[in-house]
Amino acid sequence: IAGITQAPTSQILAAGRRMTLRCTQDMRHNAMYWYRQDLGLGLRLIHYSNTAGTTGKGEVPDGYSVSRANTDDFPLTLASAVPSQTSVYFCASSPSPGTGELFFGEGSRLTVL
Amino acid sequence: QKEVEQNSGPLSVPEGAIASLNCTYSDRGSQSFFWYRQYSGKSPELIMFIYSNGDKEDGRFTAQLNKASQYVSLLIRDSQPSDSATYLCALWSGAGSYQLTFGKGTKLSVIP
């Protein structure tokens, strides 16, 4: 079934540890995004990529990095996790950049202690 | 700073009634507007988008856009318990913008 796969589904992490959230899509979409969703704050864009080889910063990029080596994969890395990064993380894609028609993965729930 | 405002709810309507969800925005340059539905514990899914002033209908859903008043709404006719979810309003500002700005969502509860 075509779509977006995120891993892990859930993770508990000690503060200071490095963590990579994986995201893979098989729809050949050009644009990919990482959002975090927090109660009372809604969905906020962390980083985006308009096409393979390019990335950009969203609203809340600090403490996160991304790479886009190919069309399908868009991993999100927390270099040194902090408790404020406890959140639900959603990866999304769209056929082309600059549209609002996003397809979301199932999310990764991350708890940083 | 682009802002998208939604009443957090919960909005409770009886089954079969019309649910009206509203959204206002601050950026007059916003060009495209989207409604996403998010069931509890699930990811958002796109249900409607609207680009032009007026109404756009899709089944039981109608999106309404008034750019002069800077609001967009979603009407759900013949509401069903399966419509119970959080509805997220989002906007895209147009060329040169790669960020879809989301509201915080309105929680809808359809009472059988």
Side-chain angles (χ1 to χ4, degrees):
Chain A
I1 298 176
I4 297 178
T5 302
Q6 290 186 235
T9 302
S10 180
Q11 182 76 44
I12 299 174
L13 186 68
R17 298 296 297 269
R18 181 184 180 89
M19 178 71 193
T20 295
L21 303 180
R22 301 184 297 278
C23 176
T24 300
Q25 55 107 354
D26 61 2
M27 298 177 284
R28 307 302 294 172
H29 284 175
N30 285 316
M32 297 188 75
Y33 310 84
W34 274 106
Y35 285 87
R36 59 178 290 175
Q37 188 173 38
D38 304 286
L39 193 64
L41 296 177
L43 279 163
R44 293 180 292 167
L45 182 66
I46 305 170
H47 285 286
Y48 65 90
S49 170
N50 291 334
T51 188
T54 68
T55 62
K57 294 181 179 180
E59 181 184 356
V60 288
D62 293 344
Y64 305 95
S65 63
V66 292
S67 62
R68 186 90 183 276
N70 56 60
T71 297
D72 298 343
D73 300 301
F74 190 44
L76 175 74
T77 297
L78 290 66
S80 179
V82 295
S84 61
Q85 292 178 311
T86 294
S87 186
V88 179
Y89 291 86
F90 288 103
C91 180
S93 70
S94 63
S96 61
T99 76
E101 300 172 50
L102 303 187
F103 295 80
F104 284 85
E106 292 303 307
S108 295
R109 181 176 294 276
L110 182 66
T111 302
V112 183
L113 301 176
Chain B
Q1 179 75 13
K2 303 179 182 69
E3 292 187 352
V4 181
E5 298 291 336
Q6 295 183 256
N7 188 322
S8 63
L11 173 66
S12 294
V13 298
E15 184 174 356
I18 296 176
S20 178
L21 304 161
N22 300 311
C23 172
T24 60
Y25 60 94
S26 61
D27 181 12
R28 283 193 173 274
S30 300
Q31 296 187 0
S32 310
F33 303 84
F34 305 83
W35 284 99
Y36 283 79
R37 177 177 62 199
Q38 186 174 23
Y39 292 113
S40 181
K42 301 296 185 181
S43 57
E45 58 177 329
L46 179 66
I47 55 171
M48 289 284 290
F49 58 87
I50 186 167
Y51 301 148
S52 303
N53 277 329
D55 295 357
K56 179 182 179 183
E57 188 174 318
D58 183 1
R60 296 187 296 111
F61 298 96
T62 299
Q64 299 176 317
L65 174 60
N66 185 321
K67 289 187 177 181
S69 299
Q70 294 177 247
Y71 84 78
V72 57
S73 61
L74 179 70
L75 301 179
I76 306 175
R77 290 182 300 281
D78 188 24
S79 296
Q80 301 297 308
S82 59
D83 295 324
S84 297
T86 296
Y87 290 80
L88 307 174
C89 174
L91 63 85
W92 175 62
S93 292
S97 171
Y98 298 103
Q99 180 164 324
L100 188 66
T101 302
F102 284 87
K104 296 175 183 178
T106 298
K107 186 173 183 179
L108 173 67
S109 180
V110 180
I111 311 301

